[in-house]
């Protein structure tokens, strides 16, 4: 673990040869591959992948997938290695498409087999984010044009307005309505306009995010394969 974090390839090889467990973990669930990847140590990442290390690992503190940390820190070479070995091409496609890196999208399309739904979702996000090169790649791979947005009655949208909090994560989200659209805004971040999928489901494709309301007082936020419950704390 220490050698991987430091990027010491010789020490990593020596540890493996001495019987170190490839998927050993820190108290936060980070494996040697996770530590090497998040710190941008490309040669160590390549070696561990060749040894069969799993890319499907989440940190138990931030709940963050390995590739998410790598993309956030812009370790593009490492991201390419992980994308080529992904066990979940659908999730990986969404993540790399959101980064705007056409080379990473091409890696996933070449090495994996994303579903039609994943292609369509990533394509819509690329269009909304104006990532032209990524959108063209996805279109060529068979992505279909997104359906026109659904119109939800203004009175229904108005019932969702307010400030919401979650017991699962320390994030406060404000929901508002402008020009017939539902907007969300996490505290300290820019607001985002959602696309109505139904009268209770609203998506923000660029962030692979969905809000699903179970009434006027709460919603489930779905992103990256995780679901967080929010309850209305303050009405408009």
């Amino acid at each position: 673990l220490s050698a991987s974090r430091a990027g010491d390839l010789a020490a990593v090889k020596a540890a493996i040869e001495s019987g170190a467990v490839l998927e050993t973990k820190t108290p936060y669930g980070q494996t040697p591959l996770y530590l090497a990847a998040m710190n941008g140590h490309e040669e160590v990442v390549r070696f561990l992948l060749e040894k069969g290390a799993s890319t499907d690992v989440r940190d138990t503190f931030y709940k963050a997938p390995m590739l998410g940390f790598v993309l956030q820190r812009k370790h593009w070479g490492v991201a390419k290695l992980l994308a080529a070995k992904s066990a979940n091409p659908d999730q990986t496609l969404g993540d790399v498409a959101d980064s705007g890196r056409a080379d990473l999208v091409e890696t996933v399309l070449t090495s994996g087999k994303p579903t039609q739904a994943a292609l369509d979702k990533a394509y819509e996000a690329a269009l909304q984010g104006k990532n032209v090169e990524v959108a063209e790649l996805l279109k060529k791979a068979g992505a279909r044009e997104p359906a026109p947005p659904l119109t939800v009655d203004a009175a229904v949208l108005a019932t969702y307005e307010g400030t919401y909090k979650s017991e699962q994560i320390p994030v406060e989200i404000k929901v508002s309505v402008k020009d017939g659209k539902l907007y969300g805004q996490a505290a300290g971040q820019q607001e985002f306009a959602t696309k109505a999928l139904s009268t209770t489901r609203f998506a923000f494709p660029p962030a692979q995010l969905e809000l699903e309301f179970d009434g006027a007082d709460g919603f489930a936020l779905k992103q990256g394969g995780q679901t967080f419950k929010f309850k209305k704390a303050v009405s408009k």
Side-chain angles (χ1 to χ4, degrees):
L1 288 168
S2 297
S4 296
R5 190 194 301 272
D8 188 337
L9 180 58
V12 170
K13 288 181 175 180
I16 293 295
E17 290 170 1
S18 297
V21 177
L22 189 63
E23 302 295 340
T24 190
K25 294 182 178 181
T26 70
Y28 296 115
Q30 299 163 325
T31 61
L33 178 61
Y34 196 116
L35 294 173
M38 69 185 287
N39 287 293
H41 301 312
E42 197 168 327
E43 291 306 313
V44 174
V45 168
R46 181 178 285 105
F47 172 75
L48 292 172
L49 287 173
E50 289 172 353
K51 289 294 182 180
S54 173
T55 61
D56 190 20
V57 179
R58 283 182 181 270
D59 146 285
T60 60
F61 185 79
Y62 293 105
K63 311 297 183 186
M66 189 186 304
L67 183 59
F69 254 126
V70 170
L71 292 172
Q72 183 183 47
R73 296 183 178 188
K74 299 182 180 180
H75 298 315
W76 306 127
V78 171
K80 200 166 190 176
L81 292 172
L82 296 180
K85 294 287 187 177
S86 173
N88 187 347
D90 281 7
Q91 180 63 48
T92 301
L93 179 62
D95 291 340
V96 300
D98 188 38
S99 76
R101 298 276 303 195
D103 58 331
L104 298 181
V105 171
E106 191 166 20
T107 295
V108 179
L109 295 175
T110 302
S111 60
K113 292 184 178 181
T115 63
Q116 185 66 53
L119 284 172
D120 295 346
K121 191 173 183 179
Y123 179 55
E124 183 176 0
L127 290 176
Q128 190 165 339
K130 299 181 180 179
N131 295 322
V132 178
E133 192 175 359
V134 169
E136 288 177 351
L137 275 175
L138 294 167
K139 181 69 174 177
K140 186 177 179 180
R144 299 172 297 199
E145 294 298 324
L150 177 74
T151 300
V152 179
D153 187 89
V156 174
L157 292 178
T159 65
Y160 298 144
E161 291 190 293
T163 300
Y164 295 75
K165 295 183 178 181
S166 173
E167 294 182 354
Q168 295 172 266
I169 51 175
V171 176
E172 185 177 285
I173 296 179
K174 179 182 178 182
V175 174
S176 59
V177 178
K178 297 179 185 179
D179 301 321
K181 290 184 178 181
L182 195 75
Y183 282 75
Q185 183 176 21
Q189 299 182 26
Q190 292 185 332
E191 66 178 5
F192 54 90
T194 66
K195 175 185 177 181
L197 304 178
S198 72
T199 57
T200 58
R201 293 173 57 225
F202 301 83
F204 180 54
Q208 304 290 310
L209 179 151
E210 184 178 316
L211 305 179
E212 183 172 359
F213 289 84
D214 54 14
D217 297 320
F219 64 78
L221 185 155
K222 301 178 181 180
Q223 187 178 37
Q226 298 185 86
T227 300
F228 304 99
K229 295 287 188 179
F230 282 78
K231 290 293 182 182
K232 185 178 287 184
V234 181
S235 298
K236 182 183 176 184

